[in-house]
């Protein structure tokens, strides 16, 4: 790992408006009144969509003023309970969604594996999905051809490679997706929980693949609930709670902070 910053996160916040329940109208008079007031209510609701404030009960802040940097060749882990904002942060880094405020500067070729079966077309075969996913991740056909056998061998689904993905188990889909992303040899790899999928042999193989990517100066940002894995492969761990960064640093210290704050054993 060196000190070249490849991911620079500055004051990132992400907010969502919580939907409200429509009022029911039981009487004829109430229904007629509602129809008359509808244009005014629509204008009021439309205006409210751009009206955000921290104390608005209808606003959910998934992330609040996130700041940290990731260096080239570093493995950064992200921990936190469900709903803490971990996946939202990865989606912002992968450009799936935009932050409500703040900026993210990324230097390098990015590949991401964020959800089970991400990018998989259910009606296409495993073979076709390798080419589809590879192209979506930035590989051309010759690059995919060169790595095709390695990808199939790594995924362990060679017997089903010409079977439609809709007949795959979720574990098979994510193994294939991870195999494609891991053989892209990206400069930055974003991973959300997928190392917890599959049998122990596949999880160990995935971990070793990440380590080999890091040794070739790839940068990895990894979300996982596996604290053992975090201690083993991460250089630093960021602990996020309720959309805020509580601690970034030594993996063991970050995990200890998590247990201290959440009260979990």
């Amino acid at each position: 790992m060196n000190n070249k910053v490849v991911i620079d996160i500055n004051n990132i916040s992400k907010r969502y408006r919580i939907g409200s329940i429509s009022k029911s109208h039981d009487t004829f008079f109430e229904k007629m009144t509602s129809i008359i007031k509808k244009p005014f209510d629509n204008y009021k609701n439309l205006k409210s969509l751009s009206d955000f404030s921290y104390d608005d009960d209808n606003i959910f802040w998934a992330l609040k003023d996130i700041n940290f940097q990731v260096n080239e060749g570093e493995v950064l882990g992200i921990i936190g309970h469900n709903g803490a904002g971990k996946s939202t942060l990865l989606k912002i880094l992968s450009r799936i969604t935009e932050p409500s405020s703040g900026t993210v500067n990324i230097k390098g070729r990015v590949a991401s594996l964020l959800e089970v079966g991400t990018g998989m077309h259910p009606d296409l075969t495993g073979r076709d999905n390798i080419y589809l996913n590879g192209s979506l991740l930035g590989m051309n056909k010759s690059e995919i051809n060169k790595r095709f056998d390695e990808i199939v061998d790594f995924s362990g689904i060679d017997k089903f490679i010409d079977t439609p993905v809709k007949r795959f188990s979720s574990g098979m889909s994510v193994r294939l997706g991870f195999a494609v992303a891991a053989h892209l040899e990206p400069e930055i790899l974003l991973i959300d929980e997928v190392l917890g999928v599959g049998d122990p042999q596949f999880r160990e193989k995935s971990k070793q693949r990440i380590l080999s990517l890091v040794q070739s100066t790839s940068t990895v940002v990894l979300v996982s609930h596996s604290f053992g894995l975090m201690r083993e492969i991460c250089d630093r761990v960021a602990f996020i709670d309720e959309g805020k960064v509580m601690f970034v640093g030594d993996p063991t210290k970050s995990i200890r902070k998590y247990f201290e704050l959440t009260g979990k054993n």
Side-chain angles (χ1 to χ4, degrees):
M1 186 181 70
N2 58 49
N3 293 323
K4 178 184 176 182
V5 175
V6 293
I7 301 178
D8 190 9
I9 300 170
N10 297 291
N11 295 313
I12 285 296
S13 293
K14 182 65 179 180
R15 63 200 171 198
Y16 296 97
R17 181 171 294 282
I18 301 172
S20 58
I21 300 174
S22 300
K23 295 179 181 179
S24 61
H25 306 289
D26 298 324
T27 67
F28 176 77
F29 178 76
E30 288 175 341
K31 289 179 181 178
M32 292 302 298
T33 303
S34 173
I35 292 171
I36 295 171
K37 292 174 62 179
K38 192 71 173 176
F40 303 99
D41 290 338
N42 286 341
Y43 173 76
K44 190 163 112 179
N45 291 335
L46 182 62
K47 186 178 179 182
S48 72
L49 291 176
S50 59
D51 182 21
F52 291 99
S53 63
Y54 276 91
D55 58 355
D56 189 337
D57 291 338
N58 293 321
I59 301 303
F60 170 70
W61 291 87
L63 297 172
K64 296 180 183 177
D65 302 322
I66 300 290
N67 288 278
F68 62 83
Q69 297 176 328
V70 184
N71 294 322
E72 183 180 36
E74 180 177 20
V75 180
L76 176 77
I78 301 178
I79 61 174
H81 62 77
N82 292 333
K86 309 182 300 297
S87 295
T88 299
L89 178 57
L90 282 198
K91 287 178 180 177
I92 289 174
L93 294 180
S94 60
R95 310 297 189 191
I96 290 175
T97 187
E98 292 293 322
S100 300
S101 61
T103 60
V104 176
N105 296 310
I106 299 178
K107 300 176 182 177
R109 187 184 191 186
V110 178
S112 58
L113 189 57
L114 304 186
E115 295 175 359
V116 172
T118 297
M120 291 286 170
H121 193 295
D123 294 321
L124 297 180
T125 65
R127 182 185 302 275
D128 292 334
N129 270 289
I130 288 176
Y131 284 93
L132 174 62
N133 271 256
S135 62
L136 291 174
L137 292 172
M139 283 193 279
N140 57 43
K141 188 174 181 179
S142 62
E143 287 179 303
I144 299 171
N145 287 337
K146 181 180 177 182
R147 298 184 175 95
F148 184 85
D149 290 340
E150 295 177 47
I151 292 170
V152 174
D153 182 65
F154 189 93
S155 70
I157 62 163
D158 51 301
K159 293 181 180 179
F160 306 96
I161 196 63
D162 291 309
T163 301
V165 165
K166 63 185 176 183
R167 305 193 189 283
F168 283 16
S169 67
S170 60
M172 290 167 65
S173 296
V174 79
R175 274 156 47 197
L176 183 59
F178 180 83
V180 175
H183 284 80
L184 175 63
E185 296 182 358
E187 293 165 305
I188 300 170
L189 180 61
L190 310 175
I191 306 174
D192 190 356
E193 288 294 355
V194 299
L195 292 185
V197 176
D199 56 33
Q201 183 180 2
F202 183 78
R203 292 198 294 269
E204 178 63 24
K205 187 162 57 173
S206 300
K207 183 183 73 177
Q208 294 304 321
R209 180 62 184 171
I210 289 178
L211 291 174
S212 69
L213 286 171
V214 172
Q215 289 169 0
S216 62
T217 71
S218 290
T219 305
V220 178
V221 179
L222 168 68
V223 168
S224 179
H225 288 291
S226 174
F227 295 151
L229 179 68
M230 291 291 188
R231 291 189 183 97
E232 188 173 355
I233 73 172
C234 294
D235 299 294
R236 292 186 299 150
V237 169
F239 166 34
I240 297 179
D241 188 64
E242 295 184 352
K244 298 179 181 179
V245 173
M246 311 304 293
F247 183 84
V248 182
D250 176 76
T252 299
K253 290 182 180 178
S254 189
I255 293 167
R256 187 183 303 129
K257 292 281 186 182
Y258 170 85
F259 288 130
E260 289 174 356
L261 186 65
T262 63
K264 295 181 179 180
N265 295 320

